[in-house]
Amino acid sequence: MTAARYAADQFFPNKDAEYSPDLSWEVFVQLIGLRDAGDDANLAAKFVGVITILIGLVLFSSLVAFITQQFEYRLQLLRKGKSIVVEENHTLILGFSDRIADIIKELVVGNESEPDAAVVILSEKDKENMDDFIRNNITELKTTRVVTRNGAITSLNNLKKVGVEVAKSVVILNDAKPSDTEQFKILSDARVVKAILAVVAANGEENLPQIVVELHSEKYRRLAENIATKSVTTLNEADILARILVQTSRSVGLATVYLNLVGFEGNEFYFYRHDSIWPKITFTELPFHFRNGIPIGVRHADGNLILKPSKDYKLAEDDEVIILAEDDSTIQFYPEPVVQPQDLGYANYWTTLERKSEKYLIIGWNSKTSIALKEYAEYVLEHSHVNLIVEDLTNDIKTEFEILAKNYPHIKMEVLRINLDSIEDLKQLKPYEYHTISILAGSGENIEEIDAKTLAILLEIRQIFKEYMAETGNKVTTNLIAEIIDSENTDLVIQAGVKDFLLTNQFVSKILAQVSQEPDVMSIYQDLFSADGSELYIKPASLYFPVQKLGRLTFADCVLAAQHRDEVCIGVRIAAQAQDKDKNFGIYLVPSMDRLLYLTINDSLITLADDQS
């Protein structure tokens, strides 16, 4: 257009008009529509000026349309979750399930000390649905940003888009729920293993982040761990929860203790090494050198972990102490003891709880039931009863139960089929004669339906207890344990008279989140949840102190009293607050050594011990 204008001026000059010598600039101004050819221009100049303006309109309209189209395309990519993630050193979650909210809540708490933490989620679910779910279920993210992306978790391209190569850790969720069929669980496990292979392929075996996966099958757990032995940690939900269920049913209140131990909220396990060489002190003397935090074990240089070592064990130079504390910033070793416990005269520290044959009832069959039956068989004394109640006694259940009963002939095991909706059928069981009744989550379309069935059984059993007490005047001492999936139903369960409850989603979510940040913690959980070695127990305070000495005590006094019984005290349970949710159901873990406590004969110590006696 500059050339056209120049030619028009040559052939049809404007004698009366004054033009800028910079003809190109003048044409450009006309192109963008800021100036016309001028009133003094001749017809040729005006004609070229009009054409120039029209071309300018077309060009700039096309430019605006292109920019708008690209902008909308980028917004669409963001809405669909297809754009590249620019985060680094983030936690990457592959998959989206009901426990995603609990996992993010735990990571939010764990990331509070970081000014700008990120959690990235890759799932085949629609991004808008994921964002809505997170907004509706998580009220405060604090210093953590949550980024969601849509795509297959086994695709290398998708994994690279979400920054798997620069991620701090990877959590792979399993699509299968405990109530799903075995076939679907196998398919879901296979998909998780494929996702592990994709992460390894995207990063290379030398630069793998810590990978934490949830698998149902023992076969696939072995496969997953063999892919990258040092980087992959597997979690079996059914195994861990079944063990916790059995331990909780034998010591009411332990579920709350475990819920405070797992995850980042509350107290956590830390591996602590002194800045210099450990002084020559025994493990018995060690707790009194920490004001906040309780040592429960040691980890040697070879990685071997020992919970509750012998009282005379002296720390080696390269030992790490396993400490239970509220935060690592509160852990400090003092060369001299920070508190001196009282010598209250432990006249009865060799006294043991009398163990008798016990009677347990499990209601419902799911992936945890067979594991729970095995655990009971290893814990209880000879001639104890462990009975199972199911609504649908299939051949598979009957066969598996008969095998278990045959393997443990020292206890009496019986399986019965009843209608759980019939209160008359439940009355025939005489539930008030059992030491503990554990109600396992059944099957259903969703979490709400499953928990509703559990609550209905609870209410029916509570009604039976009321009628029995009204008729006989006898007090019912049976403990009720319920497996609850949704933590929102906690208050309803307490109203139903449950002494303890197992929040399955929360337990697994908390463990997944914590292990993703500190993989070595998994070895502690495996040891604690096992029937072998030391476990957590809640024992009456009268086992540790003469009754006349109960009252005003420090936590250091409790620690020393537990040591006389070769145990490690990690907290206390106040019986008067056992049903108070706001006071953590009376559970106080790892108070400061000099904290004053007022213990009565009804209160208990929470200890790490070899057995319940």
Side-chain angles (χ1 to χ4, degrees), residues 290-419:
F290 293 92
R291 188 176 301 278
N292 298 291
I294 292 295
I296 65 166
V298 294
R299 183 171 66 176
H300 302 311
D302 59 1
N304 188 28
L305 183 146
I306 300 177
L307 295 182
K308 197 179 73 63
S310 64
K311 295 189 293 184
D312 298 329
Y313 175 79
K314 291 187 177 181
L315 296 175
E317 295 180 4
D318 51 2
D319 276 348
E320 285 183 304
V321 176
I322 304 169
I323 293 186
L324 180 62
E326 186 174 0
D327 190 74
D328 57 352
S329 62
T330 65
I331 302 174
Q332 183 179 354
F333 176 83
Y334 294 89
E336 299 295 329
V338 295
V339 63
Q340 291 292 340
Q342 302 178 72
D343 184 2
L344 298 176
Y346 305 98
N348 61 342
Y349 63 78
W350 290 115
T351 303
T352 59
L353 292 173
E354 183 182 358
R355 294 191 61 188
K356 301 178 180 179
S357 59
E358 300 163 287
K359 196 172 182 180
Y360 293 97
L361 176 65
I362 298 178
I363 299 178
W365 182 274
N366 59 26
S367 57
K368 308 174 192 65
T369 307
S370 61
I371 303 173
L373 290 169
K374 292 177 185 176
E375 288 293 304
Y376 273 127
E378 294 181 7
Y379 274 114
V380 299
L381 294 179
E382 190 175 358
H383 304 307
S384 294
H385 292 254
V386 181
N387 295 338
L388 171 67
I389 302 300
V390 294
E391 202 162 26
D392 183 16
L393 184 57
T394 64
N395 290 331
D396 291 339
I397 294 176
K398 188 175 181 180
T399 301
E400 189 166 353
F401 186 87
E402 289 175 351
I403 293 173
L404 287 170
K406 185 177 180 180
N407 291 338
Y408 300 100
H410 66 286
I411 62 174
K412 298 177 182 178
M413 301 177 73
E414 185 178 4
V415 58
L416 297 173
R417 178 181 180 178
I418 69 167
N419 180 11

Side-chain angles (χ1 to χ4, degrees), residues 42 362 453 504 531 578:
N42 57 22
I362 298 178
K453 290 180 179 179
T504 57

